[in-house]
Amino acid sequence: MATSPFDRTKFVSELTALCHSLDAPYSQQKVEQILSAFDEHLDNSYVWLRCTSKPKDIVNFRLAFHGKFVDTTSIEANAGWIDIENPLAKVNRSWSSRANAEEWCDFDPSRGIAKNWVYFQRIQPFQEILSASGLPAAAASRVPDLQAAGLDDQVNFAAVDYTNKSINVYFLLDGGLTAERAAKYVALAGSKPPSEEEVQVMSDHMNPMFTFGVTIIPETGHIPRVAFYATVGDAESFPPLKDHERLRKFYREAPCHDPKRLEIICWSYGADDSNKYMKGEASYAGYNEDFSRRMFERWIESPA
């Protein structure tokens, strides 16, 4: 079954209802501005919705552009959301100048651009990602710590976060998460190790591979949070969400116009309580299962 064409009016209506239901910040005017700025790309975009377990937090939406390069920072600068010379925008352009890279976007429905993503069709060496033009040396200084934690060169995504003035590097890792392995990863952010139950649940949904994200403050090299991502089925009934009614409500009410909805769960860890939460992501429109399968095949076939 083919995906339905993106319906701008329906999306605005459904996003409005979802944000209001989850008591999330929202501006219909801002959403309309975002859609107008990216109007020519909407029909071929892959749209996601994202929510955290934190009360009244933002419900973001993501635009991913399959198989083509979209100069998102120029669009954002022309819309007045960022300065084209913004240091993080420069880092984003440096990353996306690598071969076979694509720029994606996360939007805050109340403020505009939140994050720029770079999807690498081919696995990248993280030493080069953290030494990109425009990044302070403090970012690259964390390479030895990441290596000591057991992280290798399997970088499949990177992102700049304009809201939090940080960068994110995502590693594609083999499954089989162990308590020792998890403890090393979360220690990067100064967090206590996950419980045995948490590790087991994560491991059960991370085979044969999973994504692990590291957030870095470029100017200092500080790592405030790390996160584990897993694809799940029937996320609303997923046992780890039993104490997270907001996320269960998100999965229950988030609309989807794909033949099959993809649901992702994220466990976030950090020394600060504000960085300890869970996140949910769900496809809204444009999800192509064949594309996602080819995406993983390219990563597996092209080690850094």
Side-chain angles (χ1 to χ4, degrees):
M1 184 186 299
T3 58
S4 302
F6 182 83
D7 186 321
R8 176 172 166 169
T9 301
K10 180 178 290 186
F11 176 73
V12 172
S13 175
E14 291 177 334
L15 182 63
T16 300
L18 183 64
C19 288
H20 286 170
S21 179
L22 294 170
D23 198 15
Y26 182 80
S27 165
Q28 182 168 328
Q29 180 183 23
K30 182 61 66 176
V31 173
E32 293 279 9
Q33 290 173 352
I34 294 167
L35 297 181
S36 293
F38 285 87
D39 183 64
E40 66 178 287
H41 305 293
L42 294 178
D43 287 343
N44 297 311
S45 61
Y46 180 5
V47 186
W48 282 80
L49 299 172
R50 169 200 173 278
C51 178
T52 75
S53 58
K54 296 189 287 187
K56 299 185 178 182
D57 198 14
I58 297 159
V59 174
N60 294 94
F61 67 95
R62 177 175 305 148
L63 297 181
F65 310 105
H66 289 326
K68 63 178 179 178
F69 179 81
V70 177
D71 183 1
T72 62
T73 51
S74 290
I75 295 173
E76 294 154 13
N78 289 335
W81 303 327
I82 62 170
D83 188 312
I84 196 64
E85 296 301 316
N86 181 299
L88 290 177
K90 288 184 176 181
V91 171
N92 183 72
R93 292 198 298 277
S94 176
W95 285 337
S96 63
S97 68
R98 303 177 75 86
N100 301 310
E102 297 176 11
E103 292 185 11
W104 298 355
C105 304
D106 276 3
F107 295 99
D108 176 338
S110 67
R111 299 172 61 182
I113 186 64
K115 183 184 290 187
N116 263 126
W117 288 74
V118 176
Y119 153 53
F120 301 110
Q121 291 187 22
R122 304 294 180 182
I123 293 296
Q124 301 293 308
F126 78 96
Q127 295 96 329
E128 294 181 15
I129 296 304
L130 291 181
S131 301
S133 175
L135 271 179
S141 74
R142 298 311 305 259
V143 166
D145 301 308
L146 296 171
Q147 291 174 322
L151 296 171
D152 53 22
D153 282 347
Q154 304 293 311
V155 172
N156 55 351
F157 288 100
V160 298
D161 187 328
Y162 298 106
T163 303
N164 295 306
K165 297 181 174 57
S166 61
I167 63 170
N168 304 88
V169 180
Y170 299 87
F171 296 82
L172 184 67
L173 304 174
D174 292 332
L177 188 68
T178 64
E180 180 181 6
R181 193 178 178 190
K184 288 182 178 179
Y185 292 165
V186 303
L188 290 166
S191 176
K192 295 180 180 178
S195 68
E196 291 185 9
E197 180 181 1
E198 286 176 314
V199 173
Q200 186 60 56
V201 170
M202 287 191 288
S203 182
D204 288 345
H205 293 83
M206 288 176 172
N207 287 309
M209 306 191 83
F210 69 97
T211 295
F212 175 70
V214 178
T215 299
I216 301 175
I217 307 300
E219 289 76 15
T220 63
H222 174 59
I223 298 177
R225 63 180 288 268
V226 296
F228 300 88
Y229 295 79
T231 302
V232 302
D234 189 20
E236 183 189 345
S237 302
F238 193 49
L241 297 188
K242 65 181 183 297
D243 297 323
H244 299 289
E245 171 57 27
R246 189 173 194 254
L247 275 185
R248 293 204 309 275
K249 188 175 185 180
F250 166 74
Y251 283 115
R252 186 165 60 247
E253 298 184 2
C256 179
H257 299 282
D258 291 324
K260 177 182 179 180
R261 181 163 84 169
L262 185 64
E263 299 177 332
I264 294 175
I265 292 287
C266 166
W267 292 260
S268 175
Y269 294 90
D272 189 298
D273 285 343
S274 66
N275 287 315
K276 295 180 180 179
Y277 58 87
M278 294 194 72
K279 179 171 65 175
E281 299 181 2
S283 63
Y284 171 84
Y287 171 59
N288 184 309
E289 196 168 7
D290 289 338
F291 176 88
S292 293
R293 183 175 61 254
R294 291 195 300 273
M295 182 170 66
F296 273 92
E297 288 173 349
R298 283 195 293 266
W299 287 333
I300 295 170
E301 293 168 356
S302 62

